[in-house]
Amino acid sequence: MGWESRKTGSMRDGPASQPASTIADVVAQLQQRIDALPPDEVHRRIFIKTYQRTTQAVGESVEAAFFEDPEWVVRWDIAFAELFIVAHDADRAGRPAPRPWRLAFHADSELPTIAHLLLDMNAHINYDLPQATLSVITDQDFEDAVLIERRRRDHERIDKILASRVTAEDQAIGGARRLVDRILAPLNRMSSRRFLREARQKVWLNVGELQQARLDGADVYLARLEELEVLSAAKIADLLRPGPVVLRLAVTGFGVTLPPP
């Protein structure tokens, strides 16, 4: 796959040696990464804290019976978090991470807080989320139209959780933002809700493309995954251009879409 950690899916190189089995485990593993960061890595800490709070919100929604298949959502959430943790740990250890994450991790630390947050979110949603989703849906599952529709609905329910978190997260990072970010905050919140929904729709399309590639064989799948990595990295590179990141996303969109093979 061009990245050794993807072959194993292991988190052994990070602070936590045991794989997660619950959402609470994921929250704890993220806290370990937060605690291990040096004090000057504020921009990196903000994303992990935001991700941790969102993960907690998903866990609370599972407990509240918000999803049709809560057990599947837990497995999905764990698989999703693992891809970030493996990339984070690899980068911290000086090993290569996937291209979207390399660009996001090593962006100028002087960029606005919201820019760093969106770079990391973009890498995680566009590149990691389709892989995580496919990893918890089998080929046999895809043959069951009723089951796949249930998976899609639970996938969309995440949008409601994310949308409900936008204002809270805006307030949580408020002290770390520059004045221009605060002035643009109301527009940023509106744009954020829209591009999160748009990105998730594209993720579901990309899951379908990766599933077809998986059926066509390992080499085809790896080639399509490489395409997704390139597209996701190109989106990150575009976001690194000068200018208000959220406003650009509102115009150009947040997600990426795999073209037909």
Side-chain angles (χ1 to χ4, degrees), residues 101-166:
W101 279 118
R102 287 204 302 272
L103 289 171
F105 286 149
H106 297 286
D108 187 349
S109 61
E110 296 301 315
L111 286 173
T113 302
I114 188 66
H116 280 287
L117 184 59
L118 289 170
L119 289 170
D120 289 351
M121 285 174 59
N122 201 276
H124 200 30
I125 292 173
N126 284 336
Y127 183 63
D128 292 345
L129 188 52
Q131 297 180 72
T133 305
L134 191 63
S135 75
V136 291
I137 305 179
T138 67
D139 293 341
Q140 291 71 30
D141 290 343
F142 275 100
E143 296 174 1
D144 185 337
V146 174
L147 177 62
I148 289 301
E149 185 62 15
R150 188 184 310 146
R151 299 287 183 254
R152 185 190 63 77
R153 288 194 298 267
D154 274 343
H155 171 83
E156 291 181 352
R157 282 182 173 87
I158 296 288
D159 282 337
K160 296 181 180 178
I161 296 173
L162 295 177
S164 72
R165 296 293 311 160
V166 169

Side-chain angles (χ1 to χ4, degrees), residues 11 16 18-33 51-52 54-60 62-63 70-82 85:
M11 290 189 274
Q18 296 299 318
S21 60
T22 67
I23 289 180
D25 290 341
V26 172
V27 171
Q29 289 179 346
L30 292 172
Q31 186 61 49
Q32 289 175 322
R33 273 70 188 179
Y51 187 27
Q52 184 186 51
T54 303
T55 300
Q56 288 172 319
V58 172
E60 291 165 2
V62 167
E63 293 297 322
E71 186 276 334
W72 178 77
V73 170
V74 169
R75 291 192 290 115
W76 180 32
D77 192 78
I78 291 169
F80 187 36
E82 183 176 17
I85 289 173

Side-chain angles (χ1 to χ4, degrees), residues 205 208-213 216 220-221 223-224 227 257-261:
L205 293 174
E209 291 293 334
L210 290 178
Q211 164 59 11
Q212 183 56 56
D216 292 339
V220 177
Y221 176 81
R224 292 296 270 167
E227 285 185 66
T257 305
L258 278 166

